[in-house]
Amino acid sequence: MARFKGKDARIEAAAGLYRRFLFSEPVTVPTLEDAAMAAIVNGVVDRVAPGASLGVSLPAPDPDPNAPRIALLTEAIALLDPMLARRVRAPGPFALSLAARCLYALYRETGDTAPLRRAVELGERAAAVAAPTSGPDPADPYPDIAHELSIALLDLAAHEEGTDALFRAVHHAVRAIRAPSASDRLKAACQSLLSRTFTALFQRTGEDEHREQALRMAVLGRDFTEETVSAEDGYVLGSPFLAAHEATGSVRDLETAIVALREAVDRDPRPDHLLALARALRLMYPVNGDERVLRESVTMSRRALAAARPTEPARHRYLEQAAYARLLSHAAHGGRGVVDVAVPLQRLAIGSLPEGHPGRLDAVGALADIWLARYEKTRSTADLDGALEATLTAMRLSRGRSDRHRHLARYGRGARLIYEDTGDASHLARGIHATLRALKTDDLPAELKAAYLVQGAALLLDHTDREPDPDMRRAARNMLFECSKLDHGDLHVQIECARRWADLAVSEESWHEAGLAHLGALRAMARLTATEVSRQSQESALRRFSGMASMGAAYSLNAESPLEALTLLELGRSVLLTQELSLYDEVRALRNSAPDLARQLAEQLKRRDESASALGARMILATAGLPGDGRLADRHRVAGRNLQILRAQIREVPGHERFMSGLTEEELLSVSERGPIVVLNLSALRTDALVVRPDGVTVVPLPAVTPERVGALVDTFLTAVEDPDDHGGKAMLDALAWLWDHMAEPVLAVAAPPPGPNSPLPRLWWCPTGPLSHLPLHAAGHHLAGDGRTVLDRVVSSYTPTITALSRVRARRTTPSAGAGLLAVAVGRTASGTEVPLPGAHSEADAVAAIHPATTVLADGEATRARLLAELPRHPRAHFTCHTRSDPRSPSLSRLVLHEADDELTVGDIARLDLSSVELAYLSICDAARPGAEIPDESVHIAGAFLIAGYPDVVGTLWPMPDATGRRLARHFHRRLAEGDDPARALHLTTVRARRNAPGLPVGWANLVHIGG
């Protein structure tokens, strides 16, 4: 604040009034939420027909509880006005800046822009009169005057078109920083202001230079103060990233924005902080489809609305965000009441904007979107009239504007809805015309062009369904093909494009083209699950693409292209596990050819993973009370950026040109040199086994294996586990017999014909997809017949998530060390007592220790997270007996339950270890090898995490098993291991022995699986 000197009584009196205003508490009731809901409930909005006015003004409170505070400002301005008008003795900088400050405060109190414009005028006069001093002077008013003028100009820019006010704000903020008398605190404030101003410039112009300047200013602002990171720092850092996402669709930028804005809200839940976070979360929901994000966006929107005052100058933003949040909630969950409130909220938002406001067009467009959504729900004439009025008004207001394409496309979408309801083909023709005009716009952003292409194709196909037209059908096909080539981040559009294109191709039995449609979508998915994106967003994206790889492979198999089908399955399954395996294996490979790059890659992966660990808790889940040091967003952003840079640098190293590019077809086939790999593909179209051998791929059709039948089998096994005795055992045996007859036997007839007498059993790797991953394929057979019709009697089975994963695991295998040390972890009871006790955990660990003398046992309280992370790298082998907790929405947050309630080891913790010389992990843990139900194609489970961490052989469970059974199996397995058998053969012999002892109880011997090898 400027320092006032001088003896003018009017200035002193006005200053006193201003100080009284500052020290008076504003009345915060009613809130903006109270006022808006009162207007809706009392019918204020509904009484105004949309044809008369789309916007409805928010009724002013009567009486205004803040009128006495406002009177202080108007009285102060009235005192100063005569001085401001003098020509002979012009007012000095103190009077001018005091008047500007009072006028700006009046604008903030009332939302009226007239005082703001006059505040800017007087502020510029004050800045011209109060030139900065030549040296440091604590009494120099110029830095404060320039800073306050910049703030007013930034606010003014929100009410004007163009960039003039923004550039003037930059000019005065820079001069304030350079003033010799500027304090460090003021410099930091000006840097934050500059960041916000450059963000606004980026939003107006789209020029990347302004976004880079915004980020630079956000970081530089911290250098002027030694204070801990503030809420303002988080807000200032998050804003340019949020703007960048809106311009480019970058998921990484959006994640960084959310983390930074969340930290701002945690430190100071101001209305503007809440609003920004609510907006960021709203934009994240269409990206990842996670309903937790949507719920939190709605919550933050309501908190922002409840924290804002009815006279807030930017109240239209709060009302619009609340309306959009309810629209998304309606889209996700239905319910007319939610979208019914969204329409009047948005009408109140429009009513808060004066004619000519630069945000008016977007607000009208938002109302059109919301009203169209309500019309979809109600199909009422009144809602149709409102939607059309808003849509046509947006079209009219957008004439001559560069963003007119958005409003043309919206009209096309609305016309299609009306056609679907009325059958009137004229609406369809208008919709096609409007969408094609939108597509003719030059330099359309990729995500918008893709959306318009899908919409145009849908409209053309609707027309051909009504009146067959080969040319229109061909045009729709070409649109979808063009859409598939665009690089953008809109998952919904990518999936819709792939499915429409595939459906179109399938209708003409163009199977190869249908496969290509899915291949393009999966390649886009690979970009959206890149290493710099958080694990939660990766998993959310994979959920949206679930089943696409299997269906695409089925199309390719119909086209008699088995290698293409194999490529599709490798691209679309176990994406996360294969990616992590590849990353850490590349670190090892680079140590010889480019040690400096290897060191940098390892360091950036560590930083990414450390920030991802915190991000997992703060990005999506509720965060009240969680600690943060204010630098999480910085670390996540920098690590992600550096990984992108390193990727390009590594690909320039000879021998690493295909870094993170996956295996070629020849490399995929070569992985089967040690034994056939059976890739099972389940889809609604067809189910097949792809038997992969070095000389090619043999397709074995499995017509009886349908998604419905497999779903029933999975239910059978899960039910049988709950009743493991007679009834459950018989049901499981019947299911295993069915698997043999309809899947295993025809596959083994091709992959592993019966061996000769006394011949060792061959090795075979199962690579199931989707729900098949839940079944014990290695145990299929007629086990009570005694005639050799079982998989156990034909092959030694192992599993692999993908062929690429198997290749990576084999590349890291080391020679087993004699007398290798083993870490046995036994948590039989938790401190809280919330988990069912495992009384046999300790005896199982003791049994293992008796077989392997060099064993370290960590029991109960000794098995802390810190101790485990330290001991695992020191022991080539590990054996775990404890409980787990699964997170079906985000499997990477699934964890091992340790003794203390707040001490857990997550899948992510384990995967982030880099264990270069380990050999085996035996997981006597419930469901250790069972994938998440919502993304079954991803091997994101405890067993998969140990593969990523470096273990080439992992033994895990598909379902829970009795304590005593687990102990017996573990003891026999480790005995076989000690006698020299490799892990796969040791587990095979253990299973055969257990079956011999209790053939009618497969729940006790069909559970354990070997992964890797």
Side-chain angles (χ1 to χ4, degrees):
M1 185 183 298
R3 296 98 174 155
F4 287 96
K5 288 185 177 180
K7 298 180 180 180
D8 193 300
R10 285 179 176 273
I11 295 178
E12 291 295 338
L17 291 167
Y18 182 65
R19 281 193 295 271
R20 286 173 58 192
F21 165 79
L22 291 178
F23 288 109
S24 63
E25 287 291 331
V27 179
T28 57
V29 178
T31 66
L32 180 55
E33 182 182 40
D34 295 333
M37 297 312 295
I40 294 170
V41 171
N42 294 332
V44 172
V45 180
D46 290 339
R47 284 196 290 271
V48 180
S53 175
L54 290 174
V56 179
S57 297
L58 195 67
D62 185 20
D64 185 351
N66 285 298
R69 297 183 75 243
I70 295 172
L72 294 172
L73 295 173
T74 55
E75 187 179 347
I77 294 166
L79 281 171
L80 294 170
D81 269 340
M83 299 179 61
L84 302 176
R86 283 192 313 218
R87 293 180 177 274
V88 177
R89 227 177 82 206
F94 302 118
L96 290 166
S97 60
L98 175 60
R101 198 173 299 120
C102 291
L103 286 161
Y104 180 76
L106 186 60
Y107 154 72
R108 296 296 308 173
E109 288 293 314
T110 64
D112 184 1
T113 57
L116 175 63
R117 296 180 189 282
R118 192 169 176 224
V120 168
E121 176 208 339
L122 294 176
E124 289 184 324
R125 285 173 61 187
V129 173
T133 59
S134 58
D137 179 1
D140 181 12
Y142 180 79
D144 283 328
I145 290 172
H147 174 229
E148 291 168 1
L149 173 57
S150 297
I151 293 173
L153 283 164
L154 180 58
D155 277 15
L156 180 61
H159 299 276
E160 294 183 345
E161 298 279 2
T163 58
D164 178 65
L166 293 171
F167 280 116
R168 285 153 62 199
V170 169
H171 169 76
H172 289 292
V174 169
R175 291 197 68 192
I177 291 172
R178 291 175 178 171
S181 300
S183 66
D184 285 347
R185 182 181 293 275
L186 185 133
K187 289 178 181 178
C190 285
Q191 295 285 10
S192 295
L193 178 64
L194 281 170
S195 179
R196 292 165 52 201
T197 307
F198 279 117
T199 298
L201 279 167
F202 172 67
Q203 291 170 318
R204 290 279 173 93
T205 66
E207 294 179 12
D208 284 335
E209 178 186 354
H210 295 316
R211 183 176 72 91
E212 292 300 322
Q213 283 279 38
L215 291 173
R216 192 175 300 117
M217 294 299 111
V219 174
L220 284 175
R222 299 179 180 181
D223 295 339
F224 286 110
T225 177
E226 296 181 358
E227 296 178 359
T228 57
V229 177
S230 68
E232 183 67 13
D233 290 330
Y235 177 70
V236 168
L237 183 62
S239 298
F241 278 109
L242 183 57
H245 166 76
E246 292 182 277
T248 67
S250 166
V251 178
R252 182 170 62 88
D253 285 343
L254 182 55
E255 288 181 339
T256 304
I258 289 173
V259 175
L261 293 170
R262 193 185 298 290
E263 293 187 354
V265 167
D266 285 351
R267 284 166 170 73
D268 183 7
R270 278 175 15 196
D272 53 340
H273 295 174
L274 291 163
L275 179 67
L277 178 57
R279 180 176 178 79
L281 291 166
R282 167 167 66 85
L283 294 172
M284 175 58 82
Y285 174 67
V287 172
N288 65 18
D290 193 314
E291 290 188 9
R292 291 173 294 187
V293 172
L294 174 59
R295 285 195 297 271
E296 192 175 5
S297 176
V298 172
T299 298
M300 291 296 167
S301 300
R302 287 175 173 165
R303 286 181 63 189
L305 202 64
R309 294 162 58 193
T311 53
E312 160 66 44
R315 58 188 175 275
H316 67 283
R317 294 178 183 169
Y318 293 84
L319 293 162
E320 181 168 299
Q321 169 58 36
Y324 256 127
R326 283 164 172 78
L327 173 63
L328 279 179
S329 185
H330 158 75
H333 307 116
R336 177 174 171 178
V338 178
V339 76
D340 278 354
V341 175
V343 170
L345 279 173
Q346 188 58 25
R347 294 188 70 188
L348 290 170
I350 295 172
S352 301
L353 296 171
E355 290 292 336
H357 190 284
R360 189 172 182 81
L361 172 57
D362 288 339
V364 171
L367 176 62
D369 289 333
I370 294 166
W371 227 327
L372 283 170
R374 191 161 90 171
Y375 170 65
E376 282 188 87
K377 186 71 178 177
T378 65
R379 301 294 180 178
S380 75
T381 303
D383 284 332
L384 175 59
D385 291 343
L388 280 175
E389 182 66 31
T391 303
L392 293 171
T393 300
M395 292 262 288
R396 175 175 55 78
L397 292 174
S398 67
R399 287 195 186 106
R401 290 177 55 109
S402 60
D403 61 350
R404 181 168 172 77
H405 56 87
R406 294 177 182 272
H407 309 287
L408 288 166
R410 181 186 296 108
Y411 179 79
R413 185 168 68 253
R416 184 169 182 241
L417 284 174
I418 299 169
Y419 164 71
E420 289 175 350
D421 195 43
T422 65
D424 185 343
S426 64
H427 291 293
L428 196 59
R430 294 190 194 103
I432 292 171
H433 179 67
T435 304
L436 292 178
R437 284 180 63 195
L439 280 166
K440 289 180 180 178
T441 305
D442 294 332
D443 301 321
L444 275 176
E447 66 274 9
L448 291 180
K449 186 173 184 179
Y452 300 168
L453 285 166
V454 170
Q455 177 175 302
L459 285 160
L460 290 173
L461 291 172
D462 284 347
H463 194 282
T464 61
D465 288 343
R466 183 184 180 93
E467 299 175 16
D469 185 329
D471 290 338
M472 274 196 176
R473 197 170 181 83
R474 193 177 307 110
R477 204 166 180 168
N478 291 339
M479 282 182 169
L480 294 169
F481 176 75
E482 183 181 357
C483 176
S484 72
K485 299 299 181 185
L486 295 173
D487 184 6
H488 63 93
D490 191 323
L491 292 181
H492 174 77
V493 170
Q494 289 173 346
I495 294 168
E496 183 71 10
C497 173
R499 287 180 177 158
R500 281 192 175 277
W501 185 19
D503 288 346
L504 192 55
V506 167
S507 68
E508 299 175 9
E509 296 191 358
S510 180
W511 302 110
H512 178 67
E513 187 175 338
L516 286 178
H518 282 241
L519 182 61
L522 291 172
R523 284 177 174 155
M525 180 193 75
R527 293 191 296 272
L528 294 169
T529 53
T531 54
E532 59 270 15
V533 178
S534 78
R535 177 55 62 92
Q536 280 65 45
S537 288
Q538 288 174 325
E539 289 171 356
S540 294
L542 291 167
R543 267 195 299 275
R544 303 283 286 275
F545 284 89
S546 182
M548 188 164 281
S550 295
M551 186 56 73
Y555 293 146
S556 294
L557 290 172
N558 264 13
E560 299 182 353
S561 301
L563 272 174
E564 183 180 283
L566 193 63
T567 300
L568 275 159
L569 292 172
E570 285 291 301
L571 188 61
R573 296 180 307 110
S574 292
V575 173
L576 303 182
L577 182 140
T578 304
Q579 181 186 92
E580 295 300 298
L581 282 171
S582 300
L583 272 170
Y584 285 108
D585 286 350
E586 287 288 353
V587 172
R588 297 181 183 98
L590 280 167
R591 284 173 183 155
N592 294 324
S593 53
D596 187 53
L597 279 178
R599 180 188 57 76
Q600 291 181 55
L601 180 58
E603 179 63 26
Q604 293 306 322
L605 284 173
K606 180 181 178 182
R607 292 183 181 180
R608 179 209 64 174
D609 292 343
E610 287 174 347
S611 65
S613 181
L615 188 64
R618 299 184 65 79
M619 231 293 293
I620 290 178
L621 305 179
T623 61
L626 287 182
D629 64 3
R631 302 289 181 178
L632 178 57
D634 281 343
R635 293 198 301 272
H636 178 62
R637 171 179 61 88
V638 171
R641 182 197 64 195
N642 289 345
L643 280 172
Q644 286 183 317
I645 294 170
L646 281 172
R647 183 187 296 121
Q649 292 177 346
I650 291 169
R651 286 177 176 171
E652 295 178 1
V653 177
H656 297 271
E657 294 85 358
R658 302 189 68 256
F659 171 67
M660 297 298 293
S661 297
L663 301 181
T664 64
E665 291 181 352
E666 293 77 11
E667 289 169 335
L668 287 172
L669 296 178
S670 69
V671 179
S672 63
E673 289 175 350
R674 299 184 190 178
I677 303 168
V678 178
V679 180
L680 293 160
N681 187 56
L682 174 72
S683 76
L685 181 63
R686 57 183 289 170
T687 298
D688 303 88
L690 281 63
V691 180
V692 182
R693 288 177 288 204
D695 59 349
V697 178
T698 303
V699 179
V700 181
L702 304 171
V705 184
T706 64
E708 295 76 19
R709 182 59 183 166
V710 170
L713 286 172
V714 172
D715 290 341
T716 296
F717 280 101
L718 293 178
T719 303
V721 170
E722 299 296 325
D723 178 20
D725 294 327
D726 293 341
H727 180 73
K730 183 180 185 308
M732 193 175 282
L733 285 171
D734 290 344
L736 292 172
W738 192 94
L739 279 173
W740 169 266
D741 292 338
H742 299 286
M743 188 177 66
E745 194 280 331
V747 167
L748 294 183
V750 173
N758 302 319
S759 298
L761 293 183
R763 293 292 306 277
L764 181 141
W765 279 263
W766 300 98
C767 184
T769 65
L772 288 169
S773 304
H774 295 261
L775 299 178
L777 308 177
H778 65 287
H782 294 266
H783 293 282
L784 300 183
D787 55 8
R789 288 184 297 149
T790 75
V791 175
L792 286 172
D793 293 314
R794 293 279 290 273
V795 295
V796 175
S797 292
S798 295
Y799 289 80
T800 181
T802 63
I803 298 176
T804 303
L806 183 59
S807 172
R808 294 291 188 181
V809 165
R810 286 176 177 172
R812 63 161 66 138
R813 180 177 290 281
T814 59
T815 303
S817 54
L822 187 145
L823 178 68
V825 179
V827 182
R829 185 181 299 274
T830 59
S832 64
T834 55
E835 301 292 338
V836 177
L838 300 174
H842 295 171
S843 58
E844 182 173 325
D846 291 340
V848 171
I851 297 168
H852 301 287
T855 297
T856 301
V857 177
L858 298 180
D860 293 341
E862 297 173 316
T864 64
R865 178 179 181 276
R867 183 80 184 274
L868 287 174
L869 292 177
E871 293 291 345
L872 283 171
R874 300 172 188 163
H875 295 81
R877 297 173 179 174
H879 184 107
F880 282 84
T881 309
C882 60
H883 280 296
T884 62
R885 288 190 188 133
S886 298
D887 187 327
R889 290 288 295 180
S890 295
S892 66
L893 296 181
S894 299
R895 59 266 193 207
L896 300 176
V897 179
L898 303 180
H899 186 259
E900 298 298 328
D902 58 350
D903 201 25
E904 297 174 330
L905 195 66
T906 69
V907 166
D909 291 330
I910 299 163
R912 281 187 283 275
L913 293 172
D914 183 8
L915 306 172
S916 56
S917 59
V918 293
E919 300 168 10
L920 167 71
Y922 187 105
L923 309 177
S924 189
I925 296 169
C926 300
D927 305 332
R930 187 178 172 194
E934 297 196 25
I935 41 175
D937 279 342
E938 287 302 305
S939 302
V940 187
H941 44 52
I942 300 293
F946 277 89
L947 275 181
I948 294 170
Y951 292 90
D953 292 284
V954 178
V955 174
T957 57
L958 290 174
W959 57 74
M961 61 182 165
D963 225 18
T965 301
R967 185 166 61 254
R968 285 195 301 270
L969 292 172
R971 184 168 56 243
H972 190 74
F973 171 84
H974 283 285
R975 281 176 182 164
R976 301 298 317 186
L977 202 64
E979 291 172 8
D981 285 319
D982 64 72
R985 201 165 296 274
L987 183 62
H988 176 82
L989 294 172
T990 298
T991 304
V992 169
R993 181 177 183 273
R995 179 188 62 170
R996 185 168 61 248
N997 292 336
L1001 296 175
V1003 70
W1005 48 260
N1007 186 15
L1008 290 172
V1009 296
H1010 172 260
I1011 305 172

